mmCIF file with all atom_site columns, all heavy atoms in Angstrom:
data_model
loop_
_atom_site.group_PDB
_atom_site.id
_atom_site.type_symbol
_atom_site.label_atom_id
_atom_site.label_alt_id
_atom_site.label_comp_id
_atom_site.label_asym_id
_atom_site.label_entity_id
_atom_site.label_seq_id
_atom_site.pdbx_PDB_ins_code
_atom_site.Cartn_x
_atom_site.Cartn_y
_atom_site.Cartn_z
_atom_site.occupancy
_atom_site.B_iso_or_equiv
_atom_site.pdbx_formal_charge
_atom_site.auth_seq_id
_atom_site.auth_comp_id
_atom_site.auth_asym_id
_atom_site.auth_atom_id
_atom_site.pdbx_PDB_model_num
ATOM 1   N N   . ASN A 1 4  ? 247.690 -19.257 -58.575 1.00 0.00 ? 4  ASN A N   1
ATOM 2   C CA  . ASN A 1 4  ? 248.135 -18.158 -57.675 1.00 0.00 ? 4  ASN A CA  1
ATOM 3   C C   . ASN A 1 4  ? 247.759 -18.328 -56.220 1.00 0.00 ? 4  ASN A C   1
ATOM 4   O O   . ASN A 1 4  ? 246.811 -19.262 -56.097 1.00 0.00 ? 4  ASN A O   1
ATOM 5   C CB  . ASN A 1 4  ? 247.828 -16.775 -58.280 1.00 0.00 ? 4  ASN A CB  1
ATOM 6   C CG  . ASN A 1 4  ? 246.322 -16.605 -58.352 1.00 0.00 ? 4  ASN A CG  1
ATOM 7   O OD1 . ASN A 1 4  ? 245.634 -17.033 -57.560 1.00 0.00 ? 4  ASN A OD1 1
ATOM 8   N ND2 . ASN A 1 4  ? 245.905 -15.937 -59.500 1.00 0.00 ? 4  ASN A ND2 1
ATOM 9   N N   . LYS A 1 5  ? 248.181 -17.555 -55.315 1.00 0.00 ? 5  LYS A N   1
ATOM 10  C CA  . LYS A 1 5  ? 247.798 -17.692 -54.015 1.00 0.00 ? 5  LYS A CA  1
ATOM 11  C C   . LYS A 1 5  ? 246.326 -17.559 -53.676 1.00 0.00 ? 5  LYS A C   1
ATOM 12  O O   . LYS A 1 5  ? 245.649 -18.273 -53.019 1.00 0.00 ? 5  LYS A O   1
ATOM 13  C CB  . LYS A 1 5  ? 248.618 -16.642 -53.169 1.00 0.00 ? 5  LYS A CB  1
ATOM 14  C CG  . LYS A 1 5  ? 248.430 -16.830 -51.640 1.00 0.00 ? 5  LYS A CG  1
ATOM 15  C CD  . LYS A 1 5  ? 249.267 -15.863 -50.880 1.00 0.00 ? 5  LYS A CD  1
ATOM 16  C CE  . LYS A 1 5  ? 248.936 -16.046 -49.351 1.00 0.00 ? 5  LYS A CE  1
ATOM 17  N NZ  . LYS A 1 5  ? 249.878 -14.964 -48.637 1.00 0.00 ? 5  LYS A NZ  1
ATOM 18  N N   . LYS A 1 6  ? 245.642 -16.587 -54.446 1.00 0.00 ? 6  LYS A N   1
ATOM 19  C CA  . LYS A 1 6  ? 244.144 -16.465 -54.189 1.00 0.00 ? 6  LYS A CA  1
ATOM 20  C C   . LYS A 1 6  ? 243.501 -17.629 -54.664 1.00 0.00 ? 6  LYS A C   1
ATOM 21  O O   . LYS A 1 6  ? 242.401 -17.938 -54.068 1.00 0.00 ? 6  LYS A O   1
ATOM 22  C CB  . LYS A 1 6  ? 243.818 -15.176 -55.033 1.00 0.00 ? 6  LYS A CB  1
ATOM 23  C CG  . LYS A 1 6  ? 244.253 -13.796 -54.394 1.00 0.00 ? 6  LYS A CG  1
ATOM 24  C CD  . LYS A 1 6  ? 243.701 -12.682 -55.153 1.00 0.00 ? 6  LYS A CD  1
ATOM 25  C CE  . LYS A 1 6  ? 244.155 -11.404 -54.455 1.00 0.00 ? 6  LYS A CE  1
ATOM 26  N NZ  . LYS A 1 6  ? 243.489 -10.169 -55.097 1.00 0.00 ? 6  LYS A NZ  1
ATOM 27  N N   . THR A 1 7  ? 243.850 -18.212 -55.793 1.00 0.00 ? 7  THR A N   1
ATOM 28  C CA  . THR A 1 7  ? 243.280 -19.445 -56.237 1.00 0.00 ? 7  THR A CA  1
ATOM 29  C C   . THR A 1 7  ? 243.228 -20.569 -55.218 1.00 0.00 ? 7  THR A C   1
ATOM 30  O O   . THR A 1 7  ? 242.371 -21.222 -54.972 1.00 0.00 ? 7  THR A O   1
ATOM 31  C CB  . THR A 1 7  ? 243.735 -19.795 -57.615 1.00 0.00 ? 7  THR A CB  1
ATOM 32  O OG1 . THR A 1 7  ? 243.705 -18.815 -58.568 1.00 0.00 ? 7  THR A OG1 1
ATOM 33  C CG2 . THR A 1 7  ? 242.977 -21.126 -58.024 1.00 0.00 ? 7  THR A CG2 1
ATOM 34  N N   . LEU A 1 8  ? 244.502 -20.622 -54.719 1.00 0.00 ? 8  LEU A N   1
ATOM 35  C CA  . LEU A 1 8  ? 244.689 -21.767 -53.750 1.00 0.00 ? 8  LEU A CA  1
ATOM 36  C C   . LEU A 1 8  ? 243.892 -21.499 -52.474 1.00 0.00 ? 8  LEU A C   1
ATOM 37  O O   . LEU A 1 8  ? 243.419 -22.480 -51.798 1.00 0.00 ? 8  LEU A O   1
ATOM 38  C CB  . LEU A 1 8  ? 246.169 -21.792 -53.291 1.00 0.00 ? 8  LEU A CB  1
ATOM 39  C CG  . LEU A 1 8  ? 247.200 -22.371 -54.417 1.00 0.00 ? 8  LEU A CG  1
ATOM 40  C CD1 . LEU A 1 8  ? 248.642 -22.207 -53.962 1.00 0.00 ? 8  LEU A CD1 1
ATOM 41  C CD2 . LEU A 1 8  ? 246.884 -23.856 -54.669 1.00 0.00 ? 8  LEU A CD2 1
ATOM 42  N N   . GLU A 1 9  ? 243.712 -20.228 -52.038 1.00 0.00 ? 9  GLU A N   1
ATOM 43  C CA  . GLU A 1 9  ? 242.967 -19.935 -50.823 1.00 0.00 ? 9  GLU A CA  1
ATOM 44  C C   . GLU A 1 9  ? 241.573 -20.271 -51.093 1.00 0.00 ? 9  GLU A C   1
ATOM 45  O O   . GLU A 1 9  ? 240.764 -20.577 -50.065 1.00 0.00 ? 9  GLU A O   1
ATOM 46  C CB  . GLU A 1 9  ? 243.092 -18.473 -50.519 1.00 0.00 ? 9  GLU A CB  1
ATOM 47  C CG  . GLU A 1 9  ? 244.453 -18.169 -49.965 1.00 0.00 ? 9  GLU A CG  1
ATOM 48  C CD  . GLU A 1 9  ? 244.613 -16.572 -49.787 1.00 0.00 ? 9  GLU A CD  1
ATOM 49  O OE1 . GLU A 1 9  ? 243.821 -15.935 -50.326 1.00 0.00 ? 9  GLU A OE1 1
ATOM 50  O OE2 . GLU A 1 9  ? 245.680 -16.256 -49.210 1.00 0.00 ? 9  GLU A OE2 1
ATOM 51  N N   . ARG A 1 10 ? 240.966 -20.318 -52.321 1.00 0.00 ? 10 ARG A N   1
ATOM 52  C CA  . ARG A 1 10 ? 239.557 -20.624 -52.555 1.00 0.00 ? 10 ARG A CA  1
ATOM 53  C C   . ARG A 1 10 ? 239.335 -22.198 -52.426 1.00 0.00 ? 10 ARG A C   1
ATOM 54  O O   . ARG A 1 10 ? 238.224 -22.624 -52.647 1.00 0.00 ? 10 ARG A O   1
ATOM 55  C CB  . ARG A 1 10 ? 239.131 -20.044 -53.969 1.00 0.00 ? 10 ARG A CB  1
ATOM 56  C CG  . ARG A 1 10 ? 239.069 -18.499 -53.827 1.00 0.00 ? 10 ARG A CG  1
ATOM 57  C CD  . ARG A 1 10 ? 238.295 -18.015 -55.073 1.00 0.00 ? 10 ARG A CD  1
ATOM 58  N NE  . ARG A 1 10 ? 238.820 -18.366 -56.283 1.00 0.00 ? 10 ARG A NE  1
ATOM 59  C CZ  . ARG A 1 10 ? 239.554 -17.560 -57.036 1.00 0.00 ? 10 ARG A CZ  1
ATOM 60  N NH1 . ARG A 1 10 ? 240.067 -16.546 -56.579 1.00 0.00 ? 10 ARG A NH1 1
ATOM 61  N NH2 . ARG A 1 10 ? 240.167 -18.129 -58.181 1.00 0.00 ? 10 ARG A NH2 1
ATOM 62  N N   . VAL A 1 11 ? 240.382 -22.911 -52.616 1.00 0.00 ? 11 VAL A N   1
ATOM 63  C CA  . VAL A 1 11 ? 240.223 -24.379 -52.585 1.00 0.00 ? 11 VAL A CA  1
ATOM 64  C C   . VAL A 1 11 ? 240.292 -24.803 -51.170 1.00 0.00 ? 11 VAL A C   1
ATOM 65  O O   . VAL A 1 11 ? 241.258 -24.736 -50.476 1.00 0.00 ? 11 VAL A O   1
ATOM 66  C CB  . VAL A 1 11 ? 241.422 -25.098 -53.441 1.00 0.00 ? 11 VAL A CB  1
ATOM 67  C CG1 . VAL A 1 11 ? 241.172 -26.558 -53.394 1.00 0.00 ? 11 VAL A CG1 1
ATOM 68  C CG2 . VAL A 1 11 ? 241.435 -24.553 -54.833 1.00 0.00 ? 11 VAL A CG2 1
ATOM 69  N N   . SER A 1 12 ? 239.124 -25.337 -50.674 1.00 0.00 ? 12 SER A N   1
ATOM 70  C CA  . SER A 1 12 ? 239.103 -25.791 -49.240 1.00 0.00 ? 12 SER A CA  1
ATOM 71  C C   . SER A 1 12 ? 239.782 -27.147 -49.105 1.00 0.00 ? 12 SER A C   1
ATOM 72  O O   . SER A 1 12 ? 239.776 -28.060 -50.038 1.00 0.00 ? 12 SER A O   1
ATOM 73  C CB  . SER A 1 12 ? 237.605 -25.826 -48.872 1.00 0.00 ? 12 SER A CB  1
ATOM 74  O OG  . SER A 1 12 ? 236.986 -26.961 -49.462 1.00 0.00 ? 12 SER A OG  1
ATOM 75  N N   . PRO A 1 13 ? 240.207 -27.458 -47.875 1.00 0.00 ? 13 PRO A N   1
ATOM 76  C CA  . PRO A 1 13 ? 240.705 -28.823 -47.729 1.00 0.00 ? 13 PRO A CA  1
ATOM 77  C C   . PRO A 1 13 ? 239.655 -30.000 -47.969 1.00 0.00 ? 13 PRO A C   1
ATOM 78  O O   . PRO A 1 13 ? 239.976 -31.032 -48.415 1.00 0.00 ? 13 PRO A O   1
ATOM 79  C CB  . PRO A 1 13 ? 241.061 -28.838 -46.150 1.00 0.00 ? 13 PRO A CB  1
ATOM 80  C CG  . PRO A 1 13 ? 241.316 -27.289 -45.857 1.00 0.00 ? 13 PRO A CG  1
ATOM 81  C CD  . PRO A 1 13 ? 240.369 -26.629 -46.802 1.00 0.00 ? 13 PRO A CD  1
ATOM 82  N N   . THR A 1 14 ? 238.347 -29.673 -47.722 1.00 0.00 ? 14 THR A N   1
ATOM 83  C CA  . THR A 1 14 ? 237.383 -30.583 -47.848 1.00 0.00 ? 14 THR A CA  1
ATOM 84  C C   . THR A 1 14 ? 237.257 -30.877 -49.471 1.00 0.00 ? 14 THR A C   1
ATOM 85  O O   . THR A 1 14 ? 237.116 -32.077 -49.918 1.00 0.00 ? 14 THR A O   1
ATOM 86  C CB  . THR A 1 14 ? 235.996 -30.097 -47.466 1.00 0.00 ? 14 THR A CB  1
ATOM 87  O OG1 . THR A 1 14 ? 236.106 -29.871 -46.044 1.00 0.00 ? 14 THR A OG1 1
ATOM 88  C CG2 . THR A 1 14 ? 234.883 -31.082 -47.708 1.00 0.00 ? 14 THR A CG2 1
ATOM 89  N N   . ALA A 1 15 ? 237.376 -29.867 -50.229 1.00 0.00 ? 15 ALA A N   1
ATOM 90  C CA  . ALA A 1 15 ? 237.354 -30.034 -51.723 1.00 0.00 ? 15 ALA A CA  1
ATOM 91  C C   . ALA A 1 15 ? 238.446 -30.935 -52.193 1.00 0.00 ? 15 ALA A C   1
ATOM 92  O O   . ALA A 1 15 ? 238.193 -31.790 -53.131 1.00 0.00 ? 15 ALA A O   1
ATOM 93  C CB  . ALA A 1 15 ? 237.219 -28.815 -52.472 1.00 0.00 ? 15 ALA A CB  1
ATOM 94  N N   . VAL A 1 16 ? 239.569 -30.716 -51.676 1.00 0.00 ? 16 VAL A N   1
ATOM 95  C CA  . VAL A 1 16 ? 240.760 -31.566 -52.016 1.00 0.00 ? 16 VAL A CA  1
ATOM 96  C C   . VAL A 1 16 ? 240.555 -32.996 -51.701 1.00 0.00 ? 16 VAL A C   1
ATOM 97  O O   . VAL A 1 16 ? 240.789 -33.911 -52.580 1.00 0.00 ? 16 VAL A O   1
ATOM 98  C CB  . VAL A 1 16 ? 242.023 -30.961 -51.353 1.00 0.00 ? 16 VAL A CB  1
ATOM 99  C CG1 . VAL A 1 16 ? 243.273 -32.033 -51.673 1.00 0.00 ? 16 VAL A CG1 1
ATOM 100 C CG2 . VAL A 1 16 ? 242.357 -29.598 -51.938 1.00 0.00 ? 16 VAL A CG2 1
ATOM 101 N N   . VAL A 1 17 ? 240.017 -33.291 -50.483 1.00 0.00 ? 17 VAL A N   1
ATOM 102 C CA  . VAL A 1 17 ? 239.723 -34.594 -50.044 1.00 0.00 ? 17 VAL A CA  1
ATOM 103 C C   . VAL A 1 17 ? 238.732 -35.394 -50.941 1.00 0.00 ? 17 VAL A C   1
ATOM 104 O O   . VAL A 1 17 ? 238.844 -36.415 -51.378 1.00 0.00 ? 17 VAL A O   1
ATOM 105 C CB  . VAL A 1 17 ? 239.243 -34.609 -48.554 1.00 0.00 ? 17 VAL A CB  1
ATOM 106 C CG1 . VAL A 1 17 ? 238.789 -36.071 -48.245 1.00 0.00 ? 17 VAL A CG1 1
ATOM 107 C CG2 . VAL A 1 17 ? 240.557 -34.280 -47.621 1.00 0.00 ? 17 VAL A CG2 1
ATOM 108 N N   . GLU A 1 18 ? 237.646 -34.478 -51.221 1.00 0.00 ? 18 GLU A N   1
ATOM 109 C CA  . GLU A 1 18 ? 236.510 -35.112 -51.986 1.00 0.00 ? 18 GLU A CA  1
ATOM 110 C C   . GLU A 1 18 ? 237.003 -35.520 -53.522 1.00 0.00 ? 18 GLU A C   1
ATOM 111 O O   . GLU A 1 18 ? 236.345 -36.251 -54.106 1.00 0.00 ? 18 GLU A O   1
ATOM 112 C CB  . GLU A 1 18 ? 235.431 -34.062 -52.159 1.00 0.00 ? 18 GLU A CB  1
ATOM 113 C CG  . GLU A 1 18 ? 234.738 -33.821 -50.820 1.00 0.00 ? 18 GLU A CG  1
ATOM 114 C CD  . GLU A 1 18 ? 233.599 -32.871 -50.896 1.00 0.00 ? 18 GLU A CD  1
ATOM 115 O OE1 . GLU A 1 18 ? 233.379 -32.273 -52.066 1.00 0.00 ? 18 GLU A OE1 1
ATOM 116 O OE2 . GLU A 1 18 ? 233.007 -32.453 -49.821 1.00 0.00 ? 18 GLU A OE2 1
ATOM 117 N N   . SER A 1 19 ? 238.027 -34.764 -53.950 1.00 0.00 ? 19 SER A N   1
ATOM 118 C CA  . SER A 1 19 ? 238.517 -34.983 -55.362 1.00 0.00 ? 19 SER A CA  1
ATOM 119 C C   . SER A 1 19 ? 239.170 -36.265 -55.457 1.00 0.00 ? 19 SER A C   1
ATOM 120 O O   . SER A 1 19 ? 239.487 -36.653 -56.666 1.00 0.00 ? 19 SER A O   1
ATOM 121 C CB  . SER A 1 19 ? 239.176 -33.760 -55.879 1.00 0.00 ? 19 SER A CB  1
ATOM 122 O OG  . SER A 1 19 ? 240.360 -33.742 -55.181 1.00 0.00 ? 19 SER A OG  1
ATOM 123 N N   . ASN A 1 20 ? 239.719 -36.768 -54.344 1.00 0.00 ? 20 ASN A N   1
ATOM 124 C CA  . ASN A 1 20 ? 240.609 -37.960 -54.554 1.00 0.00 ? 20 ASN A CA  1
ATOM 125 C C   . ASN A 1 20 ? 240.409 -38.915 -53.358 1.00 0.00 ? 20 ASN A C   1
ATOM 126 O O   . ASN A 1 20 ? 241.253 -38.940 -52.571 1.00 0.00 ? 20 ASN A O   1
ATOM 127 C CB  . ASN A 1 20 ? 242.027 -37.498 -54.623 1.00 0.00 ? 20 ASN A CB  1
ATOM 128 C CG  . ASN A 1 20 ? 242.972 -38.528 -55.180 1.00 0.00 ? 20 ASN A CG  1
ATOM 129 O OD1 . ASN A 1 20 ? 242.611 -39.785 -55.235 1.00 0.00 ? 20 ASN A OD1 1
ATOM 130 N ND2 . ASN A 1 20 ? 244.088 -38.144 -55.747 1.00 0.00 ? 20 ASN A ND2 1
ATOM 131 N N   . LEU A 1 21 ? 239.303 -39.723 -53.375 1.00 0.00 ? 21 LEU A N   1
ATOM 132 C CA  . LEU A 1 21 ? 239.034 -40.580 -52.283 1.00 0.00 ? 21 LEU A CA  1
ATOM 133 C C   . LEU A 1 21 ? 240.133 -41.685 -52.210 1.00 0.00 ? 21 LEU A C   1
ATOM 134 O O   . LEU A 1 21 ? 240.586 -42.089 -51.121 1.00 0.00 ? 21 LEU A O   1
ATOM 135 C CB  . LEU A 1 21 ? 237.736 -41.334 -52.549 1.00 0.00 ? 21 LEU A CB  1
ATOM 136 C CG  . LEU A 1 21 ? 237.325 -42.464 -51.609 1.00 0.00 ? 21 LEU A CG  1
ATOM 137 C CD1 . LEU A 1 21 ? 237.236 -41.878 -50.162 1.00 0.00 ? 21 LEU A CD1 1
ATOM 138 C CD2 . LEU A 1 21 ? 235.957 -43.035 -51.923 1.00 0.00 ? 21 LEU A CD2 1
ATOM 139 N N   . GLU A 1 22 ? 240.626 -42.129 -53.382 1.00 0.00 ? 22 GLU A N   1
ATOM 140 C CA  . GLU A 1 22 ? 241.662 -43.175 -53.340 1.00 0.00 ? 22 GLU A CA  1
ATOM 141 C C   . GLU A 1 22 ? 242.895 -42.866 -52.785 1.00 0.00 ? 22 GLU A C   1
ATOM 142 O O   . GLU A 1 22 ? 243.521 -43.692 -52.030 1.00 0.00 ? 22 GLU A O   1
ATOM 143 C CB  . GLU A 1 22 ? 241.970 -43.736 -54.830 1.00 0.00 ? 22 GLU A CB  1
ATOM 144 C CG  . GLU A 1 22 ? 240.689 -44.339 -55.419 1.00 0.00 ? 22 GLU A CG  1
ATOM 145 C CD  . GLU A 1 22 ? 240.858 -44.779 -56.894 1.00 0.00 ? 22 GLU A CD  1
ATOM 146 O OE1 . GLU A 1 22 ? 241.890 -45.385 -57.232 1.00 0.00 ? 22 GLU A OE1 1
ATOM 147 O OE2 . GLU A 1 22 ? 239.958 -44.459 -57.715 1.00 0.00 ? 22 GLU A OE2 1
ATOM 148 N N   . ARG A 1 23 ? 243.303 -41.599 -52.751 1.00 0.00 ? 23 ARG A N   1
ATOM 149 C CA  . ARG A 1 23 ? 244.459 -41.037 -52.092 1.00 0.00 ? 23 ARG A CA  1
ATOM 150 C C   . ARG A 1 23 ? 244.186 -41.014 -50.589 1.00 0.00 ? 23 ARG A C   1
ATOM 151 O O   . ARG A 1 23 ? 245.072 -41.422 -49.774 1.00 0.00 ? 23 ARG A O   1
ATOM 152 C CB  . ARG A 1 23 ? 244.831 -39.662 -52.521 1.00 0.00 ? 23 ARG A CB  1
ATOM 153 C CG  . ARG A 1 23 ? 246.064 -39.141 -51.891 1.00 0.00 ? 23 ARG A CG  1
ATOM 154 C CD  . ARG A 1 23 ? 246.477 -37.701 -52.398 1.00 0.00 ? 23 ARG A CD  1
ATOM 155 N NE  . ARG A 1 23 ? 246.964 -37.914 -53.825 1.00 0.00 ? 23 ARG A NE  1
ATOM 156 C CZ  . ARG A 1 23 ? 247.326 -36.898 -54.530 1.00 0.00 ? 23 ARG A CZ  1
ATOM 157 N NH1 . ARG A 1 23 ? 247.285 -35.713 -54.164 1.00 0.00 ? 23 ARG A NH1 1
ATOM 158 N NH2 . ARG A 1 23 ? 247.741 -37.155 -55.833 1.00 0.00 ? 23 ARG A NH2 1
#
Side-chain angles (χ1 to χ4, degrees):
N4 59 39
K5 185 177 179 180
K6 288 186 177 180
T7 301
L8 288 173
E9 288 174 348
R10 290 198 298 269
V11 179
S12 70
T14 302
V16 173
V17 168
E18 289 175 6
S19 67
N20 200 339
L21 176 61
E22 293 176 51
R23 180 175 296 178

